[in-house]
């Protein structure tokens, strides 16, 4: 199922990452700065001479003229632009729910969605895969752990709670990344045991379309 089309992308060659949000690429015979929306490590995707897709941004308020959209992994491109996560999730959720609120405050946090005023839903994007296994996170995430704690509290209050993992690297299974963030991984196990629903959804980037493929199997292999 086609979800979102990302038009007017251009092919480039990744050179180096300056910091979390800035990288240099080779584009149209020039070295240009691009904005990286995903602050994760992305080491398996953003390495020297890897092929990438970028999109020009027409804004006078930006220091960079391009956004990094995707990076090549084997035969496919993997979405690395985290701004699209919300739009992808909303498109999926609106097929299931009529009433959907975004960025809903709960205590000191904001949960991504509240559906029908009773279903609390958090969204995480996953770009890391190892063989057939997708893993999250690719860097320690205290914020992610806090979101799990919030969902567990809400579950204890009687709400239905969900965490959707939007997976953009080809995989058949999903597991938390114990090696990178043991605290988050154990908290995800705890949340699952409590009844927080974990939904790993696989997507691909095909002909500029983000395409929903299927839900994949959750495994706790730590």
């Amino acid at each position: 199922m086609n979800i979102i089309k990302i038009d007017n992308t251009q092919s480039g060659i990744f050179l180096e990452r300056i910091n979390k949000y800035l990288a240099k690429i080779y584009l149209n015979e020039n070295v240009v700065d691009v904005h990286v929306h995903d602050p994760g490590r992305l080491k398996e995707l953003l390495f020297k001479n890897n092929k990438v897709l970028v999109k020009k941004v027409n804004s006078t308020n930006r220091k960079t003229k391009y956004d990094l959209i995707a990076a090549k992994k084997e035969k496919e491109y993997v979405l690395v632009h985290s701004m699209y996560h919300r739009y992808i999730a909303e498109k999926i959720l609106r097929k299931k729910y009529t009433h959907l609120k975004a960025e809903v405050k709960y205590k000191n946090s904001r949960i991504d969605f509240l559906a029908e005023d009773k279903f609390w839903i958090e969204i995480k994007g996953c770009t890391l895969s190892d063989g057939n296994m997708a893993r999250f996170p690719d860097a320690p995430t205290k914020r992610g752990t806090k979101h799990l704690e919030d969902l567990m509290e809400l579950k204890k209050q009687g709400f239905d709670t969900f965490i959707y993992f939007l997976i953009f690297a080809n995989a058949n299974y999903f597991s938390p990344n114990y090696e990178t963030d043991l605290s988050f991984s154990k908290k995800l196990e705890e949340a699952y045991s409590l009844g927080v629903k974990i939904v790993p959804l696989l997507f691909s980037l095909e002909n500029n379309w983000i395409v929903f493929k299927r839900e994949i199997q959750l495994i706790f292999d730590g």
Side-chain angles (χ1 to χ4, degrees):
M1 178 175 67
N2 291 348
I3 302 297
I4 290 175
K5 191 174 185 182
I6 306 174
D7 285 319
N8 302 318
T9 59
Q10 301 179 56
S11 298
I13 301 296
F14 189 84
L15 296 177
E16 62 177 327
R17 194 167 186 176
I18 306 303
N19 56 46
K20 282 185 178 182
Y21 301 106
L22 180 66
K24 290 185 179 294
I25 71 162
Y26 189 69
L27 179 71
N28 299 328
E29 301 184 353
N30 293 295
V31 175
V32 300
D33 292 337
V34 298
H35 181 65
V36 183
H37 278 262
D38 190 331
R41 290 173 178 167
L42 306 174
K43 288 183 178 180
E44 76 287 356
L45 296 170
L46 302 186
F47 57 87
K48 190 172 183 178
N49 294 328
N50 193 28
K51 294 179 179 179
V52 294
L53 298 177
V54 300
K55 182 179 175 71
K56 192 170 185 178
V57 179
N58 296 315
S59 173
T60 57
N61 298 322
R62 288 270 303 262
K63 292 182 178 180
T64 54
K65 295 182 180 179
Y66 295 90
D67 278 347
L68 187 63
I69 298 297
K72 195 76 177 286
K73 183 174 183 182
E74 297 174 356
K75 295 181 180 180
E76 65 175 355
Y77 277 97
V78 176
L79 182 75
V80 295
H81 195 309
S82 54
M83 188 191 77
Y84 287 98
H85 296 174
R86 174 180 167 183
Y87 305 126
I88 294 167
E90 186 170 350
K91 192 82 175 285
I92 292 288
L93 293 172
R94 287 202 180 277
K95 292 185 176 298
K96 186 175 182 180
Y97 303 109
T98 302
H99 188 230
L100 199 65
K101 297 177 184 175
E103 293 289 317
V104 182
K105 189 172 181 180
Y106 175 72
K107 293 188 174 179
N108 294 322
S109 300
R110 287 191 180 274
I111 306 298
D112 286 318
F113 294 100
L114 175 61
E116 317 298 358
D117 291 323
K118 60 181 179 179
F119 303 110
W120 292 84
I121 304 164
E122 182 63 22
I123 306 296
K124 302 295 181 188
C126 175
T127 61
L128 177 64
S129 67
D130 178 14
N132 284 326
M133 185 73 73
R135 296 187 184 277
F136 180 93
D138 80 337
T141 173
K142 291 182 179 179
R143 183 169 177 265
T145 302
K146 178 64 168 62
H147 285 150
L148 288 176
E149 292 170 347
D150 292 336
L151 291 176
M152 292 166 68
E153 283 186 16
L154 288 161
K155 180 63 180 177
K156 290 175 182 177
Q157 294 172 25
F159 292 98
D160 285 332
T161 56
F162 302 78
I163 180 165
Y164 279 69
F165 290 95
L166 311 183
I167 298 164
F168 300 105
N170 191 36
N172 293 323
Y173 309 97
F174 170 80
S175 175
N177 195 344
Y178 294 87
E179 183 176 346
T180 296
D181 194 334
L182 184 61
S183 177
F184 175 88
S185 300
K186 290 298 184 182
K187 188 64 67 174
L188 190 67
E189 287 186 2
E190 187 181 347
Y192 179 76
S193 297
L194 186 66
V196 176
K197 295 179 178 64
I198 301 170
V199 187
L201 301 181
L202 180 66
F203 297 83
S204 63
L205 181 55
E206 303 174 15
N207 299 318
N208 289 332
W209 280 94
I210 301 295
V211 180
F212 171 62
K213 308 296 283 190
R214 63 186 181 277
E215 182 173 346
I216 65 174
Q217 184 179 348
L218 170 66
I219 295 176
F220 291 107
D221 68 348

